């Protein structure tokens, strides 16, 4: 009996270094993938359906929402995005871990529809540090930086349903923690109880 | 603020290879220790109070039980043994992980008195494999082997309160899983929520 994979929901303030941590933690693994979203946005040149996104029209999207086929969904600037349950479940059944980088509100929706998803919150060592990182990137206006900091505070206050907190002080250590969490979750009693029951 | 340690309760049938797995998983770490038990047994030559055991008389032991100073206790062949709460808490407060190798009944007592203890069940890949290992050791009589196998089945059936199951197919991989669990547990939301609250 092949062990199933798990859904790992990763959140954290913009500038916390989530992508680097996830990249380092999963490097070289062939049994992990990123979730592919459904979107009503038009494909850009070169984008392939089922690779960058699953492209659907608004009617199909609404149908998916109605049929509870999306684990979460949201609308940004006239385009809707969602996480397709069937795609995620298919990977998990094949023993593949699925990673989803999403903000706190989306994570909360997923937590309600799929409580066994593993919720991980990645934060910088402090908000002062986050501010330094955001300024260091040089991509945001002063106003955008302030908005991001306010948003981070809000997210911290709403993050009580996460299972784990990773403090990204050093990307290598943070990646080791994420990798350890992914291993540990596969050892959970609920995930392996069948080994005891087969006796 | 220094992170606290955690209590890791390790159980599993005799012959599952627990000691090797624990040894490999904690090798080189100076922030982990084994729990020291209290006992009414007389010290053997060379044994030091507070090292192999805390040696107490029966009256002191009963007093500790009455005052809820033991996380679990049991009596074998006229001698009583117990896990002292104060010792465990002191290590944990100092940021040290405490490992306790104990059978299922003791683990259940600890689970009731200290629900945040991390309970890990280490098993061989199969009972056939366990039987092979027990015979391979050549230390048990045929009757003792049969008794151990019956006991293993019982323990499997009672192990539903454990947090994790490690299958010791290969000691290196099993040790990696145990080490990962120890890292992951330190990342738990409940263990790190203070980082969010300090904001």
């Amino acid at each position: 009996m092949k062990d199933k994979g798990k859904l790992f929901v990763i959140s954290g303030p913009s500038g916390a270094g989530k992508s680097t941590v996830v990249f380092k933690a999963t490097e070289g693994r062939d049994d992990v993938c990123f979730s592919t979203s459904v979107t009503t946005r038009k494909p850009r040149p070169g984008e392939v359906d089922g690779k960058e996104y699953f492209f659907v029209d608004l009617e199909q999207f609404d149908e998916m929402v109605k049929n509870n086929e999306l684990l979460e969904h949201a609308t940004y600037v006239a385009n809707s995005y969602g996480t397709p349950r069937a795609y995620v479940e298919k990977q998990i059944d094949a023993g593949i871990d699925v990673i989803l980088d999403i903000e706190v509100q989306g994570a909360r929706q997923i937590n309600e529809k799929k409580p066994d998803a593993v919720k991980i919150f990645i934060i910088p060592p402090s908000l002062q540090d986050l501010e330094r990182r955001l300024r260091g990137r040089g991509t945001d206006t002063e106003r955008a930086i302030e908005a991001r900091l306010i948003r981070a505070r809000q997210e911290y206050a709403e993050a009580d349903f996460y299972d784990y907190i990773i403090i990204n002080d050093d990307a290598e250590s943070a990646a080791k923690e994420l990798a350890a969490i992914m291993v540990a979750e596969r050892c959970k009693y609920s995930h392996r109880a069948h080994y005891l029951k087969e006796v």
Side-chain angles (χ1 to χ4, degrees), chain A:
Chain A
M1 184 168 172
K2 195 169 160 50
D3 278 355
K4 285 190 174 193
K6 284 215 171 187
L7 173 58
F8 294 88
V9 176
I10 315 261
S11 310
S14 177
K18 294 189 294 293
S19 329
T20 310
V21 172
V22 170
F23 176 76
K24 282 179 190 284
T26 57
E27 220 177 345
R29 278 186 60 185
D30 58 1
D31 57 347
V32 61
C33 74
F34 282 88
S35 173
T36 305
S37 297
V38 172
T39 184
T40 59
R41 154 163 106 49
K42 293 280 165 290
R44 291 176 191 147
E47 284 185 341
V48 178
D49 184 50
K51 199 177 164 208
E52 286 83 4
Y53 289 98
F54 295 106
F55 296 100
V56 295
D57 62 28
L58 193 56
E59 196 182 333
Q60 289 171 305
F61 193 92
D62 289 344
E63 194 68 17
M64 291 182 92
V65 172
K66 212 178 69 186
N67 296 337
N68 198 23
E69 289 171 33
L70 299 178
L71 291 175
E72 58 77 38
H73 61 97
T75 300
Y76 304 99
V77 204
N79 292 314
S80 294
Y81 298 83
T83 300
R85 183 193 291 271
Y87 175 81
V88 169
E89 300 285 2
K90 192 181 152 194
Q91 306 297 328
I92 286 173
D93 287 344
I96 294 171
D97 287 335
V98 181
I99 291 182
L100 181 58
D101 180 343
I102 195 170
E103 38 190 64
V104 174
Q105 280 195 322
R108 190 179 286 276
Q109 285 184 49
I110 290 177
N111 187 44
E112 276 155 27
K113 297 206 180 181
K114 197 173 169 57
D116 64 336
V118 182
K119 282 80 62 186
I120 303 167
F121 200 55
I122 301 186
I123 57 173
S126 69
L127 283 185
Q128 291 73 22
D129 188 86
L130 180 62
E131 195 172 341
R132 253 195 316 275
R133 291 188 200 199
L134 289 172
R135 278 189 216 291
R137 296 203 300 201
T139 50
D140 291 322
T141 63
E142 189 58 29
R143 207 160 146 188
I145 289 173
E146 274 168 35
R148 286 197 194 281
L149 289 170
I150 290 170
R151 186 176 188 88
R153 275 176 199 277
Q154 274 176 346
E155 289 195 336
Y156 280 28
E158 294 166 4
D160 59 322
F161 65 93
Y162 283 82
D163 300 301
Y164 299 96
I165 297 173
I166 293 178
I167 295 140
N168 184 14
D169 194 355
D170 165 67
E172 288 296 337
S173 324
K176 275 184 194 156
E177 290 191 341
L178 177 56
I181 290 168
M182 297 182 84
V183 170
E185 281 292 328
R186 291 234 178 177
C187 301
K188 277 279 176 77
Y189 182 90
S190 52
H191 205 72
R192 284 188 169 165
H194 60 276
Y195 285 102
L196 301 182
K197 278 159 197 158
E198 278 160 15
V199 171

